[in-house]
Amino acid sequence: MNSTKDKKAEVNVGCVAIDDYDWLRGVEMKKTKKPTLAFGCSVLGGLLLYYAMMWLQPTLPSILFDYHYWLDHMMTSPLMKFYWMIGDMTEPFFFKSLLGGIGLLIGSILAYQLDKRKSRYRLTPITYGYGKLWPWLFAASFLSLLIVTLLFGNIRSEEPGWVATFIPYVSIAGAVILKYGGNMKSVLTGSILGALFSTPITMFIRYICLANGLPGVIGSVSGMWIGGIIVLQTCYYLPWMTLVETAPNSSVIPGEMTIAQLKKASPNRFFIRRLLADYSEPMFVGNEYAGFFLIIGSLLSWLLNPYHVSYGTGLFPGILLAGWLSGAVAIYLYWDKWMEQDFFPSFVGIVSVAPQTVLKFGSSIWIIVFTAVLAAIICPPIAEYVNSKLPKHWHSMIGFTFSMALGTVVITLILRYLQMSFPFLF
């Protein structure tokens, strides 16, 4: 995750090889056209994939274990518990996929190695140009995930019989590393405090939400922003924690076009790349390889057993489409923001808001499209506004997750009203 208030200190570069930059000078002076072709192809491709998956799903085998077997046996089997932790890496998108988590990890390692070797094929530099921090960030996030899984993984609630063990992996631990640098003090402090605060807060708020008919994801993301405030404020006063101003370690590589140049010279190409990179934003990766392999791995899990992914609901096609459309609409709708800034939170609708609505209200195509568009419209501006008001020692993850919570409440209430007033739509 990134912050617009820190954008001056960040360098984002891509890896499109060109022989001569001279022709870009004139292009950069012109107002960039919106990537209508890429947007249209993304929407059409997403819809075609959705209908193909819905047609194919009843015929798929059950080669991979299903979700309920996974949930039951992770309590007693160390191997299943480890698999559960890998699957937690895909939880922000409601995929819950073992192979998706492996794909994310493979893509992240690939992006890190290419960035480290200064390869022109690295695409968007991992971790917003702070690539040297990624191993520390991953270590802190995974350690926090391990602590939560060991402490709370065997707890079962009445509904839905599940505890959100993934919370610190995509929030507090990584935020601490990005604010306090890559070192053992940051790793241990961020992972331990993140684990101890985020999940209990999540469990409490989820209970309140579920008791009042609201989506449990409100509790999940609220545990991130509330826990994040507590932990980051605590770190600010801890004597062994020192805020650092780490300069991005990515530089322009010969034969490489910067992201700023790519946005103006090839908006359609940037659109597709940004949409894929958005799928790794919650993990503080922000790279196309990671997002691509996450999606491919999750699709492979679905092909091997459609009831392995997305909590065994069979709603994975709708969840995938809702997130994809939300990301595409957000990038296209706020294209001028992307042109003006190094970063804009177009990914927040993909995470939690759009897919959660599919889980709660079903995967009819009108619900998918309606919620995807609403999430894309509502969530990014909220995130941007909140982050513009944060203290320097708080990470922008707080604004992102707050926007997810508020957006989910608003969209759920709108759909609940429509459900009561126009029940034939549901």
Side-chain angles (χ1 to χ4, degrees), residues 193-381:
L193 292 182
L196 294 180
F197 281 100
S198 61
T199 298
I201 293 171
T202 293
M203 292 166 64
F204 176 72
I205 300 178
R206 275 180 63 86
Y207 174 80
I208 296 175
C209 291
L210 293 173
N212 290 277
L214 293 172
V217 70
I218 298 171
S220 298
V221 293
S222 293
M224 296 179 191
W225 71 266
I226 296 174
I229 290 174
I230 295 173
V231 172
L232 289 170
Q233 193 63 31
T234 300
C235 288
Y236 188 68
Y237 293 111
L238 292 175
W240 62 85
M241 298 294 284
T242 305
L243 283 169
V244 296
E245 294 291 341
T246 306
N249 65 322
S250 294
S251 57
V252 178
I253 295 170
E256 179 184 62
M257 185 191 296
T258 66
I259 292 296
Q261 292 167 328
L262 176 65
K263 289 189 292 187
K264 296 177 173 61
S266 185
N268 288 299
R269 188 183 303 178
F270 171 78
F271 180 95
I272 298 298
R273 283 179 50 175
R274 185 64 248 171
L275 185 54
L276 289 172
D278 272 354
Y279 272 87
S280 64
E281 281 293 336
M283 302 82 172
F284 306 95
V285 176
N287 178 269
E288 297 90 322
Y289 290 119
F292 176 76
F293 281 109
L294 183 153
I295 295 172
I296 293 300
S298 300
L299 283 169
L300 182 56
S301 289
W302 172 81
L303 286 169
L304 295 176
N305 188 343
Y307 296 99
H308 167 85
V309 292
S310 299
Y311 320 112
T313 60
L315 295 174
F316 178 66
I319 289 172
L320 179 62
L321 177 61
W324 183 261
L325 291 181
S326 181
V329 172
I331 297 171
Y332 188 77
L333 180 64
Y334 296 108
W335 183 252
D336 290 342
K337 290 283 189 179
W338 267 113
M339 293 300 100
E340 297 166 2
Q341 304 169 176
D342 289 336
F343 182 82
F344 184 75
S346 51
F347 77 96
V348 290
I350 301 175
V351 186
S352 71
V353 184
Q356 171 61 48
T357 307
V358 173
L359 282 177
K360 186 168 182 62
F361 293 95
S363 60
S364 68
I365 192 64
W366 89 265
I367 289 179
I368 293 172
V369 174
F370 182 74
T371 56
V373 172
L374 274 185
I377 294 172
I378 294 173
C379 294

Side-chain angles (χ1 to χ4, degrees), residues 123-167:
L123 301 183
T124 303
I126 190 171
T127 315
Y128 326 116
Y130 299 88
K132 62 185 178 183
L133 288 180
W134 182 79
W136 293 100
L137 193 151
F138 177 76
S141 299
F142 200 78
L143 178 58
S144 194
L145 176 60
L146 175 62
I147 294 171
V148 168
T149 303
L150 293 176
L151 290 179
F152 306 105
N154 288 356
I155 296 175
R156 294 291 177 264
S157 58
E158 293 182 6
E159 179 62 38
W162 166 86
V163 170
T165 50
F166 76 98
I167 298 299

Side-chain angles (χ1 to χ4, degrees), residues 15-148:
C15 73
V16 180
I18 59 174
D19 295 323
D20 190 358
Y21 288 126
D22 291 341
W23 66 277
L24 284 172
R25 296 172 184 169
V27 176
E28 291 177 343
M29 299 301 294
K30 300 177 183 178
K31 185 176 180 180
T32 306
K33 294 181 179 179
K34 280 194 170 185
T36 303
L37 176 62
F39 173 69
C41 290
S42 297
V43 172
L44 180 60
L47 290 170
L48 290 175
L49 179 61
Y50 167 74
Y51 283 112
M53 292 174 69
M54 292 296 290
W55 172 77
L56 186 61
Q57 182 161 287
T59 67
L60 293 177
S62 299
I63 298 173
L64 192 60
F65 52 83
D66 64 38
Y67 172 77
H68 296 290
Y69 178 91
W70 197 4
L71 179 65
D72 292 339
H73 286 76
M74 66 85 65
M75 299 177 66
T76 56
S77 169
L79 181 60
M80 282 294 172
K81 195 179 292 288
F82 177 73
Y83 287 166
W84 184 268
M85 292 171 59
I86 300 297
D88 270 349
M89 297 180 184
T90 68
E91 283 277 6
F93 309 100
F94 293 78
F95 290 177
K96 191 60 181 183
S97 161
L98 172 61
L99 299 183
I102 294 173
L104 171 67
L105 186 56
I106 291 173
S108 299
I109 293 173
L110 174 62
Y112 170 70
Q113 289 296 330
L114 290 174
D115 186 68
K116 183 179 179 180
R117 298 170 189 270
K118 298 190 180 300
S119 169
R120 62 177 183 171
Y121 299 106
R122 61 182 176 172
L123 301 183
T124 303
I126 190 171
T127 315
Y128 326 116
Y130 299 88
K132 62 185 178 183
L133 288 180
W134 182 79
W136 293 100
L137 193 151
F138 177 76
S141 299
F142 200 78
L143 178 58
S144 194
L145 176 60
L146 175 62
I147 294 171
V148 168

